[in-house]
């Protein structure tokens, strides 16, 4: 068996447990935005690029979409197939989608662009398979903080002072490791992503930097830092008609 250099195959059991436990980035920050953009899909064709263990694909199916997930990591794909509908998942990568052009009403990239080595090819492919007027909903780690991995500068008591930005414009791979998960992620500046979307002919319809509501912060005071430095962002693009 050849080793998977992205770390995803070895990290799959830990990733499935991580998703089953639930996490703030998805449930508190991104799901409200991505659901609002993606839930009106009754009877429509939707593609989830890098569908992982199938979480968002199952949500799309629950909203009535004819959803397909494309995913390169065999144990994640197998888990998604076990929990999902027959024929709803295909093995493949975002850089080379095994579909003819202009056949999806919605393409989703949910926390996956940071994992895709050739993000320019993946964005171009997403635009290619969209029907004219179709939408591309993207959730990603915020490039001005999360993928820089510099971490907070703290005072002697451990209080967070500020989040430093350095080497921001340099595109690079880095290792993200927590619990039993160790994967390769990529940092790219926002301008690199925007140039790829605009260069694929897409039109920006909405941009969000979601943060917890005051009520959520009252329940979990530790989430206050999310209002200081957003961890994630989300964009809705459309292919011109
Ligand atoms: C952070 S997970 C997100 C999974 C899912 N979208 C979710 O939100 O739960 C990133 C996923 O991207 C997949 N991936 C890695 N390289 C990829 C590529 N070149 N094309 C598509 N997906 C890729 C990984 O296998 C993993 O399932």
């Amino acid at each position: 068996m050849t080793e998977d250099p992205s770390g995803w195959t070895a990290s799959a059991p830990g990733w499935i447990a991580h998703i089953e436990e639930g996490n703030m980035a998805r449930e508190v920050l991104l799901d409200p935005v991505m659901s609002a953009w993606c839930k009106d899909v009754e009877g429509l064709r939707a593609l989830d690029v890098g569908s992982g263990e199938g979480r968002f694909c199952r949500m799309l199916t629950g909203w009535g979409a004819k959803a397909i997930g494309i995913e390169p990591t065999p144990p994640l794909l197998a888990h998604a197939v076990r929990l999902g509908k027959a024929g709803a998942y295909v093995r493949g990568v975002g850089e080379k989608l095994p579909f003819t052009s202009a056949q999806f009403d919605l393409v989703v990239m949910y926390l996956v662009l940071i994992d895709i080595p050739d993000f320019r090819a993946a964005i171009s492919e997403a635009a290619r398979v969209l029907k004219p007027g179709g939408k591309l909903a993207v959730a990603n780690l915020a490039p001005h903080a999360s993928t820089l991995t510099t971490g907070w500068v703290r005072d002697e008591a451990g209080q967070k002072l500020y989040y430093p930005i350095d080497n921001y414009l340099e595109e690079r791979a880095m290792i993200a490791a927590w619990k039993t998960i160790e994967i390769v992620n990529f940092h790219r500046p926002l301008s690199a992503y925007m140039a790829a979307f605009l260069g694929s002919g897409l039109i920006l319809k909405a941009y969000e930097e979601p943060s917890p509501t005051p009520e959520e912060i009252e329940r979990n005071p530790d989430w206050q830092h999310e209002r200081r430095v957003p961890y994630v962002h989300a964009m809705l693009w459309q292919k011109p008609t």
Side-chain angles (χ1 to χ4, degrees):
M1 203 170 79
T2 52
E3 203 185 319
D4 169 6
S6 75
W8 272 106
T9 300
S11 299
W15 180 259
I16 291 166
H18 171 65
I19 292 288
E20 280 169 357
E21 261 167 32
N23 61 92
M24 183 188 72
R26 284 179 169 65
E27 283 152 27
V28 176
L29 302 177
L30 287 169
D31 280 357
V33 178
M34 293 294 276
S35 305
W37 290 344
C38 299
K39 68 179 173 6
D40 293 328
V41 280
E42 179 74 52
L44 299 184
R45 297 203 69 204
L47 175 68
D48 186 10
V49 177
S51 46
E53 53 67 69
R55 177 178 178 274
F56 202 74
C57 225
R58 291 190 291 278
M59 289 167 74
L60 289 167
T61 304
W63 294 320
K66 290 177 239 165
I68 295 185
I70 181 147
E71 167 58 44
T73 305
L76 294 178
L77 192 68
H79 193 79
V81 168
R82 270 195 297 277
L83 298 183
K85 279 194 173 177
Y89 296 93
V90 175
R91 186 163 179 208
V93 292
E95 292 98 326
K96 199 170 188 311
L97 295 175
F99 305 106
T100 55
S101 301
Q103 58 163 297
F104 291 98
D105 302 281
L106 174 71
V107 175
V108 175
M109 293 175 148
Y110 198 125
L111 289 180
V112 72
L113 273 174
I114 28 112
D115 296 274
I116 296 184
D118 189 348
F119 71 100
R120 294 178 177 88
I123 289 170
S124 158
E125 278 290 88
R128 180 183 66 77
V129 300
L130 274 176
K131 294 178 185 171
K135 298 208 173 122
L136 170 60
V138 179
N140 211 18
L141 294 184
H144 58 269
S146 316
T147 58
L148 287 174
T149 65
T150 41
W152 286 83
V153 172
R154 296 171 185 262
D155 67 15
E156 280 165 10
Q159 295 295 314
K160 291 172 176 159
L161 293 176
Y162 60 89
Y163 200 99
I165 295 183
D166 202 2
N167 296 323
Y168 171 76
L169 289 176
E170 184 191 304
E171 293 183 23
R172 58 190 178 273
M174 44 101 170
I175 301 290
W178 74 103
K179 297 184 182 167
T180 58
I181 300 166
E182 188 170 319
I183 50 174
V184 175
N185 271 181
F186 295 90
H187 167 77
R188 294 106 182 196
L190 185 55
S191 56
Y193 283 119
M194 296 313 251
F197 287 113
L198 295 169
S200 298
L202 298 168
I203 298 167
L204 183 62
K205 303 302 284 184
Y207 183 83
E208 298 275 348
E209 291 175 312
S211 67
T213 61
E215 295 73 38
E216 281 156 351
I217 291 177
E218 210 171 299
R219 279 198 299 276
N220 296 283
D222 188 42
W223 292 356
Q224 178 62 34
H225 64 263
E226 287 295 331
R227 295 197 68 83
R228 298 174 61 189
V229 181
Y231 179 60
V232 290
H233 67 166
M235 322 174 197
L236 183 65
W237 295 87
Q238 188 169 30
K239 184 165 175 170
T241 46

